[in-house]
Amino acid sequence: MSLSSTDLIHHPYTPPEGFDAPQPAVHKASTVYFKDVAAMRARDWRSKAGYTYGLHGTPTTFLLEERLAALEGGTECLLVPSGLAAISLVSFALLKRGDEVLIPDNAYGPNKALATGELANFGITHRLYDAMNPQDLHDKLSERTRLVWLEAPGSVTMEFPDLIALVAACRARGVTTALDNTWGAGLAFDPFAAAGVDISVHALTKYPSGGGDVLMGSVVTRDEALHLKLKLCHMRMGWGVGANDAESVLRSLPSLPLRYVAHDRSARELARWFEGREEIVQVLHPALEDSPGHAHWRALCGPQDLAAGLFSVVFDARFGIEAVDRFCDGLGLFKLGYSWGGPVSLVVPYDIGLMRDASVSRWPHKGTLVRFSIGLEAVQDLRADLAQALEGMHAEPA
Ligand SMILES: *Cc1c(COP(=O)(O)O)cnc(C)c1O
């Protein structure tokens, strides 16, 4: 290749006014015919042997479902319009008035927002638990607990929990477990065979899409009865996905393992580089020995030695919010934007004090946290970009 991957990914492209996204635009179809009335009447929603209506699946979406179920070591899969829709499908399908759901306090924020919003409106209560303390989960499981959410590692703060111990506590009480497996992507560990969860949800928006241009989610299970419960809710809600988007994910899946390894390798290299920087008091990356939950990561993901392309750093508290904003604004290759898993590296500063319910687990740091999603650019270019932005942070603002 004559271009470096950095140049290829950052190749000039003039987006339409007011719109900028990682990928250039893609330009590209509801009725399904039955051969007679008898076939129409005989159609069974549970079976994938035929088709009913575009919303309930097409050959394209069924194919993607099959491949994703295989990727995660499950048997059944449902596609939904986003990763967040995968979370809401599970909660709406399994919870009813009077039930309680337990959510880790370091979980993906919108999962908690759904619980405080719609779930609360429907008479469903929730409690946050300390994902790093299985005893806390154990103590919070009650007669009303119908669902426990798990995430490994926690969004943004990257602590890796003892998933096996958390799942065991739920199993002992017969409570259904749902893992947000977006980070592991079906590659870092097997959510069913190794972690033992009942449901794995995945934001396909991230690594499976790999382009920053598709929103989609999946809900994978190994249990037919559980799958049908989810599928019935899926049908009633009308949460189908478009065939064009499904095709995009299908096109990206073959390179998923290669991309995942590449993201991982660069992220680890840059995370280690940050460990040597005096501006940083903590690097949060589960494969680093000093990162919270490293031993749990090693136990679950060690055999594959995989850890995705995400990490966070905590700045020394002497760097105020203005300085850290200056660092983020000073980056060139790293773009400011949510989500992750695409070719372009991304950066987001977070106020963990605001995100973390202090009554559950104490966040030990005072400085600002910055989360990086490492893309597929050449790692030396990313390192140079980070270094120059750190230097720029030290300079007094003009
Ligand atoms: C991005 C993300 C989601 C939601 O995915 P969307 O497709 O953006 O709705 C859910 N969980 C985790 C851990 C994520 O990072």
Side-chain angles (χ1 to χ4, degrees), residues 169-387:
C170 299
R171 276 263 160 96
R173 299 288 295 256
V175 176
T176 304
T177 51
L179 170 71
D180 183 332
N181 195 30
T182 305
W183 178 92
L187 297 169
F189 62 94
D190 184 323
F192 300 99
V197 301
D198 298 309
I199 299 168
S200 174
V201 312
H202 191 168
L204 307 174
T205 307
K206 309 289 168 56
Y207 292 118
S209 149
D213 57 348
V214 177
L215 285 156
M216 205 180 291
S218 59
V219 181
V220 173
T221 55
R222 266 182 160 183
D223 177 319
E224 179 73 8
L226 186 55
H227 169 71
L228 291 179
K229 207 168 174 177
L230 291 159
K231 189 175 169 76
L232 193 58
C233 179
H234 182 270
M235 268 197 319
R236 289 169 176 159
M237 291 291 195
W239 283 334
V241 306
N244 292 338
D245 282 345
E247 190 270 341
S248 292
V249 178
L250 277 167
R251 187 158 47 88
S252 296
L253 274 188
S255 62
L256 171 66
L258 268 176
R259 289 184 283 109
Y260 193 90
V261 168
H263 289 288
D264 177 9
R265 195 183 297 134
S266 294
R268 282 199 224 192
E269 189 171 331
L270 295 171
R272 291 212 175 87
W273 177 82
F274 264 113
E275 281 190 320
R277 294 288 312 202
E278 57 90 19
E279 297 92 345
I280 303 303
V281 295
Q282 170 88 60
V283 180
L284 297 152
H285 184 306
L288 299 191
E289 263 156 40
D290 290 339
S291 196
H294 169 71
H296 305 312
W297 171 81
R298 183 184 292 287
L300 198 61
C301 310
Q304 297 74 235
D305 192 27
L306 285 174
L310 285 183
F311 68 91
S312 297
V313 300
V314 182
F315 278 82
D316 188 298
R318 75 180 189 273
F319 299 104
I321 198 99
E322 300 81 10
V324 176
D325 287 357
R326 197 151 66 237
F327 163 76
C328 294
D329 284 336
L331 290 162
L333 295 176
F334 285 83
K335 300 300 181 189
L336 280 161
Y338 295 108
S339 200
W340 37 275
V344 177
S345 292
L346 300 173
V347 61
V348 185
Y350 286 93
D351 188 337
I352 297 302
L354 285 178
M355 289 171 62
R356 182 66 73 91
D357 183 335
S359 65
V360 180
S361 67
R362 211 179 61 81
W363 179 245
H365 303 292
K366 289 206 163 56
T368 299
L369 179 149
V370 173
R371 206 246 340 247
F372 298 97
S373 161
I374 304 305
L376 297 171
E377 301 95 333
V379 68
Q380 63 271 22
D381 295 338
L382 295 176
R383 197 190 312 112
D385 193 28
L386 293 166

Side-chain angles (χ1 to χ4, degrees), residues 23-24 30 54 69 88 110 140 157 184 195 204 214 254 283 326 389:
Q23 293 288 328
S30 66
S88 58
K140 285 172 179 165
T157 49
L204 307 174
V214 177
V283 180
R326 197 151 66 237

